[in-house]
Amino acid sequence: MSQETTYLELSEVDGGAHKFYEVVVEDTTLTVRYGRIGDQGQVKTSGYADNARARAAAAKKIGEKIRKGYAPAVRGVRQKRSVSRRQIVSTRSTARTAPVLWRYDSGAPAFGIFIDGRTCMVGNERGVITTLDHDARVLDQVRLPDGVKCIVADDAWIYAGCDDGNVYDLSGKIPRVAYAIAPDIDIYWLDIHDGVLGVSDADGGIAAIDHEDEFLWRRAGRGRSAWMVRCDADAVYHGDSTGVSGYDWRTGRELWHTRTGSVLFGWQERDAVFAGTATREVVRIGKDGRAASRTYRADAPVFSCATASDGRYVFAGDSQSSIYCFAADGTRLWKLGTGCGSAYSMQYHDERLYVVTTSGHLACIDASEPAIRAAEAGTVPEVVDVKAPARLPEPAAFTQVEVVADAGDGVIVECVEQGGRLRVHVLSTGYHRDWSVQFPKGIREPGARYLVTEVRESGRGGFYRAYGDIRRLR
């Protein structure tokens, strides 16, 4: 039987929606592909009893999209819209050079950073994520389809948010799509807590998305250019061109708002959030929404910030390739130059400050008091320069999955269709059968069973996450 394909697009001239919707009927199978124009998009496949029912379901979906403004189009005529990337005219610092222990040149400007006790990760605008140890040895590299906006952790899971609108789970051997953000959202930043994803965007909007990438809520903020979003168990903290707001993560209701300068970056600790601003300061705001309790003054717009545990030290990176350290009371302790560009993002760990920069470097800076005092006097260690591998890794095979006949060790899960969506439930004993599993989007097939290395309960409860390697059972 011949294949019937309908391709629709919705593209708004004011810079709003720019997305496609494709419906394919082949015999009794209905396949829907959708996403941003120019991207591969997400694919969902459903089976029906006969061709007539598959065509009827297709006609219903097409009618719904046309009523929303979609129109027939020819694929490839409209081009992919450029994504928003932060642009800094980064100048050389006039301060003395910081005690940089090592720096890794990733090959392109870098926003994404993640540091823990074992590894250091950097993600750049080419979509390449490199993992190193703390002695600057390259351990692994993976290439995602588009530029990396940020790398965030949620308990044992690590996620990378990319310019293609997808959030990839990096916990297994192969990155898998965990969240697919709505195509009309131009993502600026992401954060995650207990499976709830916070998304801030170019229009100043804010959204909370659950573990099945369904919107809990979505709303406009008070300004534009929302570079800050941070999440915890109580709220989503959002910074835009007007200041910082706290929103209830369940409902999206605004809990409080504090005016600051235009927010360019955000950080959080247990009781406070920290906003780096265009007005040359980091602003500390209590999570109860009270007026800003303290400011930390830099000499240029602050494009990144971080803290030591509970704000004992506050760090900032400006647009002039300088980094700062402040005491909790606001006293500036030191200012030094990175020697490798302005810090887009930063993280402090075990007396070391790690920055990723406009030049694409991940730099490890000795932030201990003796090293800083020596640097201020003009004495710094000889920096170890680490180059990226000469050849970029091939793009990861996100939708490929190994097929095995024997269940062996692991947890068996099954993909089922519920309410028009594909859900994944655990079949193995010892789990709640009515709880769904956060499971990669690109490999789901109705009725398929998979072998998962491990399934863990989320901190908030009510769902599980697949962890580690995934194989499909014959």
Side-chain angles (χ1 to χ4, degrees):
M1 186 170 289
S2 63
Q3 177 178 292
E4 300 176 27
T5 301
T6 303
Y7 179 80
L8 309 171
E9 288 183 347
L10 174 62
S11 183
E12 298 169 347
V13 296
D14 63 355
H18 193 65
K19 50 191 178 179
F20 73 90
Y21 194 83
E22 182 183 65
V23 178
V24 178
V25 177
E26 187 170 14
D27 197 10
T28 60
T29 300
L30 170 62
T31 301
V32 174
R33 189 171 66 90
Y34 61 94
R36 291 174 171 84
I37 293 172
D39 290 341
Q40 281 297 107
Q42 299 297 304
V43 177
K44 293 184 178 180
T45 301
S46 304
Y48 293 86
D50 51 47
N51 176 255
R53 295 186 185 183
R55 293 176 64 189
K60 181 179 178 182
K61 292 179 180 294
I62 292 166
E64 290 173 350
K65 291 300 176 183
I66 289 176
R67 286 191 291 274
K68 291 181 179 180
Y70 282 77
V74 176
R75 189 188 314 163
V77 174
R78 283 194 180 96
Q79 298 301 304
K80 182 176 181 178
R81 184 178 287 167
S82 60
V83 297
S84 296
R85 289 199 170 113
R86 175 163 287 174
Q87 299 294 328
I88 296 178
V89 179
S90 178
T91 57
R92 189 176 181 85
S93 176
T94 57
R96 288 186 180 272
T97 303
V100 178
L101 299 177
W102 55 262
R103 57 191 175 205
Y104 168 76
D105 185 357
S106 75
F111 298 102
I113 186 172
F114 175 75
I115 311 294
D116 63 13
R118 189 178 67 88
T119 59
C120 312
M121 300 177 73
V122 52
N124 67 20
E125 285 188 351
R126 292 180 182 172
V128 177
I129 295 179
T130 306
T131 303
L132 305 93
D133 65 16
H134 284 274
D135 293 320
R137 290 186 290 261
V138 175
L139 304 177
D140 188 33
Q141 259 195 336
V142 66
R143 187 177 175 187
L144 300 178
D146 215 331
V148 176
K149 272 283 198 287
C150 56
I151 305 173
V152 293
D154 191 18
D155 194 17
W157 289 266
I158 301 174
Y159 299 90
C162 292
D163 286 329
D164 64 358
N166 291 327
V167 179
Y168 295 84
D169 180 359
L170 305 179
S171 305
K173 293 180 181 178
I174 299 173
R176 306 285 189 186
V177 176
Y179 299 81
I181 311 304
D184 60 325
I185 293 180
D186 188 358
I187 300 167
Y188 267 15
W189 208 257
L190 302 163
D191 196 20
I192 188 169
H193 181 81
D194 276 353
V196 175
L197 186 72
V199 182
S200 61
D201 61 51
D203 292 331
I206 179 70
I209 300 172
D210 72 7
H211 65 283
E212 284 285 1
D213 66 62
E214 295 177 347
F215 282 97
L216 295 174
W217 49 267
R218 181 180 175 184
R219 58 169 293 163
R222 289 174 174 252
R224 293 186 60 82
S225 302
W227 285 109
M228 172 185 173
V229 61
R230 295 290 174 181
C231 307
D232 65 13
D234 300 314
V236 178
Y237 307 97
H238 179 242
D240 58 24
S241 59
T242 66
V244 180
S245 300
Y247 296 98
D248 185 282
W249 72 262
R250 301 169 186 83
T251 65
R253 178 176 63 89
E254 185 180 271
L255 303 174
W256 51 265
H257 176 77
T258 298
R259 286 194 164 274
T260 66
S262 182
V263 178
L264 304 178
F265 194 82
W267 187 263
Q268 71 168 329
E269 288 293 339
R270 182 183 57 191
D271 299 319
V273 290
F274 297 79
T277 70
T279 52
R280 304 185 177 192
E281 60 189 12
V282 178
V283 183
R284 180 191 185 277
I285 304 168
K287 286 187 174 179
D288 56 5
R290 292 176 182 167
S293 57
R294 193 156 290 120
T295 58
Y296 306 84
R297 189 71 180 171
D299 299 325
V302 176
F303 279 86
S304 59
C305 58
T307 68
S309 180
D310 288 330
R312 181 167 55 94
Y313 296 115
V314 176
F315 300 93
D318 70 14
S319 61
Q320 297 178 352
S321 304
S322 296
I323 51 176
Y324 304 77
C325 178
F326 303 90
D329 65 2
T331 303
R332 183 193 290 187
L333 301 178
W334 51 263
K335 172 188 175 181
L336 295 167
T338 68
C340 56
S342 298
Y344 273 136
S345 303
M346 58 173 53
Q347 191 173 335
Y348 177 82
H349 178 79
D350 195 21
E351 290 198 316
R352 293 183 176 185
L353 182 66
Y354 297 83
V355 299
V356 291
T357 71
T358 51
S359 65
H361 285 85
L362 166 62
C364 172
I365 298 163
D366 187 345
S368 65
E369 185 172 350
I372 295 298
R373 297 287 84 82
E376 289 180 317
T379 302
V380 294
E382 183 176 351
V383 62
V384 175
D385 275 305
V386 183
K387 300 293 184 183
R391 184 173 179 179
L392 286 176
E394 294 297 318
F398 312 106
T399 60
Q400 294 181 14
V401 60
E402 181 184 355
V403 179
V404 296
D406 183 12
D409 295 328
V411 181
I412 298 176
V413 300
E414 183 178 34
C415 186
V416 298
E417 190 165 359
Q418 291 182 344
R421 291 185 64 109
L422 294 177
R423 308 288 188 183
V424 176
H425 296 284
V426 184
L427 296 183
S428 298
T429 58
Y431 299 89
H432 294 276
R433 297 298 179 89
D434 58 335
W435 285 12
S436 60
V437 181
Q438 186 181 67
F439 194 81
K441 312 301 176 185
I443 61 174
R444 296 187 184 195
E445 294 185 25
R449 293 187 175 186
Y450 301 87
L451 183 67
V452 179
T453 303
E454 188 175 351
V455 172
R456 299 183 192 173
E457 183 177 342
S458 78
R460 184 169 280 134
F463 74 96
Y464 298 107
R465 287 186 174 113
Y467 185 77
D469 199 17
I470 298 173
R471 298 179 176 91
R472 180 173 174 176
L473 293 172
R474 280 197 185 92

